[in-house]
Amino acid sequence: MSAISTVRTTDPTEAAGFIIRGGVVAFPTETVYGLGAAIFDETAVRKIFEAKGRPGDNPLIAHIGDVGQVELLALELSSDAERLIEHFFPGPLTIVVKKTDAVPAIATAGLDTIGIRMPNSELALAFLRECGKPIVAPSANVSGRPSPTTWQAVLEDLDGKIDCILQGEPTDIGLESTVVNCTVEPPLLLRRGAVSIDELRAVVPLIRELASGEAGAEKSPGLRHKHYSPRAKVAIGRELPAGFAGRAAFIGLHTSEEIFAETRVANSAEEYAAALFEFFRECDRGGIELIVCEPVPETGIGAALMDRIRRAAEG
Ligand code: AMP
Ligand code: MG
């Protein structure tokens, strides 16, 4: 693909103009930066897959600026889906529901379902409202790289490949949304995120969590793909593996006894989660060969954080 010039702006109306003209635009949300295109425009949606090098069998999430837009996308809503919308929209939760015919197959990787989310970020909502229609958006990184939590990280991956970057603050949460499949009874948690299983169960008590290796994994095709990986190797723990002599970095909640080329100590699991992906990128820029990540208790955001660290360690 030949290079295009990527416009940077802080103006949501200017950014939305590129979407309306069939372009692709990166924008901040409270989770990570997304790469959006008009959902009903197949040619525009294809540009997302091209810019990211994303496999065509990995579905995108529809982003809405208004709860009323759900009906343009969802064929039917279970009462559980309605309850989740009522409690968690806008917020870091994606619900998967049966899609309408208006949603092109390319957006959902040929599935008859669509993930829908309403981000809880003023700039994202202003941008989405200016777009007028729902947009589809995966994370705004080159496929396989850590999701971007700053506009600079988007630029690093996608400069010259996308039409515009809407520049906002670094994202608050720093991990991708929680995904719940509402087309099965009871609903199934497909991806951990900032909305925890306990918070979900307070609203829909019977929500199930996918056991690792369980057959339902193909319901979230994206989970088959390698994700969230820095170029450096990732190890879980607080110490350097015996005999390791290369450049290593550490991130966690406590300082380690060992000497590292780079160290990041966060004050809480929330801060750790928000810092993780940018730390991965910093380590890659600094030629780090091994990143040691301290494990945290798997409650609240800790569950999502450990999920991402494990995937990176497998990568
Ligand atoms: P990304 O925004 O890059 O994290 O990618 C979106 C992810 O959401 C996918 O990789 C899937 O894990 C999940 N997802 C999106 N749409 C669906 C769907 N229709 N069914 C199941 N999972 C979905
Ligand atoms: Mg992604």
Side-chain angles (χ1 to χ4, degrees), residues 52 54 138-139 141 147 176 227-228:
K52 286 185 55 116
R54 185 176 176 98
S139 50
N141 51 284
S147 296
E176 305 83 353
H227 259 86
Y228 323 116

Side-chain angles (χ1 to χ4, degrees), residues 224-260:
R224 282 201 306 268
H225 294 286
K226 195 173 163 233
H227 259 86
Y228 323 116
S229 306
R231 281 183 275 275
K233 280 207 167 314
V234 172
I236 302 174
R238 289 183 67 183
E239 272 137 48
L240 278 170
F244 181 82
R247 279 170 66 74
F250 173 81
I251 182 167
L253 292 176
H254 308 88
T255 46
S256 166
E257 306 280 288
E258 315 247 2
I259 310 275
F260 289 95

Side-chain angles (χ1 to χ4, degrees), residues 49-267:
F49 288 90
E50 283 166 7
K52 286 185 55 116
R54 185 176 176 98
D57 64 351
N58 194 352
L60 309 178
I61 293 172
H63 287 64
I64 56 175
D66 179 323
V67 178
Q69 290 179 336
V70 168
E71 66 186 41
L72 302 172
L73 307 170
L75 198 58
E76 57 199 18
L77 290 180
S78 63
S79 58
D80 286 340
E82 278 174 4
R83 288 171 62 78
L84 291 171
I85 290 171
E86 195 182 308
H87 282 82
F88 297 109
F89 279 29
L93 175 71
T94 298
I95 58 163
V96 172
V97 298
K98 283 256 183 289
K99 77 170 189 72
T100 58
D101 288 343
V103 176
I106 186 173
T108 63
L111 299 171
D112 62 356
T113 57
I114 175 110
I116 306 175
R117 180 168 108 79
M118 179 173 175
N120 188 16
S121 140
E122 261 177 51
L123 190 54
L125 289 172
F127 165 69
L128 288 167
R129 285 178 189 136
E130 290 290 335
C131 290
K133 300 224 175 81
I135 67 170
V136 268
S139 50
N141 51 284
V142 163
S143 208
R145 298 276 297 143
S147 296
T149 57
T150 64
W151 65 260
Q152 291 90 340
V154 177
L155 192 70
E156 181 175 68
D157 275 16
L158 297 176
D159 191 22
K161 296 181 177 169
I162 62 176
D163 297 287
C164 176
I165 299 175
L166 176 58
Q167 297 168 292
E169 297 297 311
T171 58
D172 283 342
I173 294 170
L175 303 179
E176 305 83 353
S177 61
T178 304
V179 180
V180 173
N181 181 3
C182 294
T183 68
V184 291
E185 192 61 50
L188 186 62
L189 176 66
L190 297 177
R191 180 171 77 184
R192 293 171 169 190
V195 177
S196 69
I197 185 85
D198 292 341
E199 288 170 296
L200 290 168
R201 285 186 179 145
V203 175
V204 177
L206 295 179
I207 285 189
R208 281 201 319 127
E209 183 158 21
L210 204 61
S212 63
E214 195 180 331
E218 59 269 16
K219 277 278 168 196
S220 199
L223 300 184
R224 282 201 306 268
H225 294 286
K226 195 173 163 233
H227 259 86
Y228 323 116
S229 306
R231 281 183 275 275
K233 280 207 167 314
V234 172
I236 302 174
R238 289 183 67 183
E239 272 137 48
L240 278 170
F244 181 82
R247 279 170 66 74
F250 173 81
I251 182 167
L253 292 176
H254 308 88
T255 46
S256 166
E257 306 280 288
E258 315 247 2
I259 310 275
F260 289 95
E262 287 196 48
T263 299
R264 176 80 159 83
V265 178
N267 290 316

Side-chain angles (χ1 to χ4, degrees), residues 263-310:
T263 299
R264 176 80 159 83
V265 178
N267 290 316
S268 63
E270 283 74 16
E271 203 183 294
Y272 187 171
L276 183 73
F277 288 154
E278 188 51 33
F279 189 72
F280 282 175
R281 284 174 178 269
E282 259 170 57
C283 288
D284 281 348
R285 286 177 212 123
I288 297 288
E289 293 151 80
L290 175 73
I291 306 171
V292 178
C293 299
E294 183 183 4
V296 298
E298 301 203 24
T299 54
I301 192 76
L305 178 56
M306 287 310 298
D307 170 74
R308 303 309 190 271
I309 291 173
R310 265 190 225 106

